[in-house]
Amino acid sequence: MTLFKKYYLKWVVTVFAVTLFFGCESNFKEVQKINFSEFVPSSDADMVNLKYTDSGRITAILVSKKMLDYASVEFPFTEFPKGIDVTLYDKKDKKTFIKSNYAISYKGTNIIDLQGKVKIFTEQGQTLETEQLYFDQKNEWFFTERRFKFTDPKGISNGQGIDFSKDFKVIYSQKITGEVETND
């Protein structure tokens, strides 16, 4: 009889240990999930139409089909995965238009990264086309090291690397080719 009690006790201890083991494994996986944080936007918007103002005057209008805001991450940013269409206004209400297939705005640096068929044009007939362009919002300055095509009423030029003011009044270009009419 003691032999039966001995085997019965081993069997009960084994069943208890196995149950405890599988129960702990499940809880351990749940604890792992708690410590895992997904990279998800803190807000998500469809069909966005934002108006930026300064002292009651509209300075920019941004239109996008999709906006994802990652405000709660270490380096916050806003993503526009379906592109943007922006109209910038200067103090004399002259407009500069910007279109791109994708954009991301970094909140800490105030830099906007425009990507995919980026096109900027003014009411005066100046157009710049490239695949990637950065915009420094604080200094109102565009720049890229990528290839570009610049069209102006005076001519067309191509190059690689350009930076310019948002109204195209100051332009610095690198490795440029093309024909442009000058005042000389």
Side-chain angles (χ1 to χ4, degrees), residues 98-154:
I98 305 165
K99 293 180 184 271
S100 73
N101 292 344
Y102 174 86
I104 187 165
S105 175
Y106 298 98
K107 295 179 181 181
T109 59
N110 285 325
I111 299 289
I112 300 174
D113 180 2
L114 305 161
Q115 299 176 24
K117 296 186 180 179
V118 181
K119 186 174 183 179
I120 299 178
F121 51 98
T122 65
E123 294 175 314
Q124 293 76 33
Q126 297 166 309
T127 304
L128 182 111
E129 297 171 78
T130 186
E131 281 302 309
Q132 184 174 26
L133 188 68
Y134 297 97
F135 180 56
D136 179 347
Q137 296 177 83
K138 181 180 176 186
N139 298 313
E140 298 183 331
W141 197 259
F142 289 95
F143 57 96
T144 187
E145 291 297 319
R146 298 278 181 105
R147 296 194 53 71
F148 68 89
K149 177 182 177 184
F150 180 69
T151 307
D152 185 88
K154 297 178 182 179

Side-chain angles (χ1 to χ4, degrees), residues 18 33 68 132 148:
V18 168
K33 287 180 183 177
L68 304 171
Q132 184 174 26
F148 68 89

Side-chain angles (χ1 to χ4, degrees), residues 3 16 19 34 44 48 64 85 89 100-101 108 123 126 152 166 175:
L3 186 62
F16 179 72
T19 304
I34 291 170
D44 178 341
V48 177
S64 180
D85 189 350
Y89 296 88
S100 73
N101 292 344
E123 294 175 314
Q126 297 166 309
D152 185 88
K166 77 174 188 177
K175 300 179 185 175

Side-chain angles (χ1 to χ4, degrees), residues 15-83:
V15 168
F16 179 72
V18 168
T19 304
L20 185 62
F21 176 74
F22 286 114
C24 289
E25 182 181 346
S26 175
N27 288 340
F28 181 69
K29 288 182 179 179
E30 291 299 317
V31 169
Q32 283 180 324
K33 287 180 183 177
I34 291 170
N35 290 329
F36 178 75
S37 62
E38 291 186 40
F39 196 69
V40 295
S42 52
S43 64
D44 178 341
D46 293 323
M47 298 309 298
V48 177
N49 188 337
L50 300 171
K51 291 177 177 59
Y52 297 90
T53 61
D54 183 12
S55 303
R57 183 181 65 80
I58 293 178
T59 57
I61 298 174
L62 182 144
V63 177
S64 180
K65 292 180 182 177
K66 185 77 164 173
M67 181 180 87
L68 304 171
D69 189 25
Y70 294 88
S72 60
V73 297
E74 187 175 353
F75 300 104
F77 63 94
T78 304
E79 181 180 27
F80 301 92
K82 294 186 178 180

